[in-house]
Amino acid sequence: HKSMDELANRTISITCNLHDEEYSYQFDFNEETGQIIYSGGDGYLSNILDIDKYSDPHQAIDIIDEYVKNHGGTCTKFDNKKNQ
């Protein structure tokens, strides 16, 4: 059995500034299967955008990015594509 760390071999996250507040969200997932092992972040984002309903971490990050930009904010994305 692989450990959770081995299963989740990639992390992507997004940090946004909106209305003078900072919000962030992170997904740890398996690059081969796309399965999200862990996701978490600010409740503000997950409540408004219902983040948990997305099974694709890239799609979820894009949804957050689009929402914040549409409301006059800015976002920075981070992707730690690990070397296998």
Side-chain angles (χ1 to χ4, degrees):
H1 292 287
K2 290 189 172 187
S3 71
M4 293 303 264
D5 287 340
E6 288 177 66
L7 288 172
N9 57 11
R10 190 160 169 198
T11 299
I12 57 175
S13 63
I14 188 165
T15 302
C16 303
N17 287 288
L18 180 63
H19 309 312
D20 297 321
E21 295 284 341
E22 185 173 281
Y23 303 101
S24 61
Y25 221 88
Q26 174 178 316
F27 296 89
D28 296 334
F29 64 102
N30 183 290
E31 195 169 22
E32 287 73 43
T33 64
Q35 180 187 6
I36 297 171
I37 310 296
Y38 166 83
S39 68
D42 283 291
Y44 174 81
L45 293 173
S46 59
N47 291 341
I48 288 181
L49 302 172
D50 196 12
I51 299 299
D52 291 338
K53 74 180 178 187
Y54 298 102
S55 58
D56 179 340
H58 298 283
Q59 181 185 23
I61 291 278
D62 288 343
I63 294 287
I64 295 169
D65 190 47
E66 185 178 344
Y67 171 82
V68 172
K69 285 179 177 167
N70 286 344
H71 289 80
T74 59
C75 291
T76 304
K77 298 178 188 178
F78 172 77
D79 184 343
N80 83 327
K81 193 164 183 174
K82 291 182 182 174
N83 298 323
Q84 296 302 309

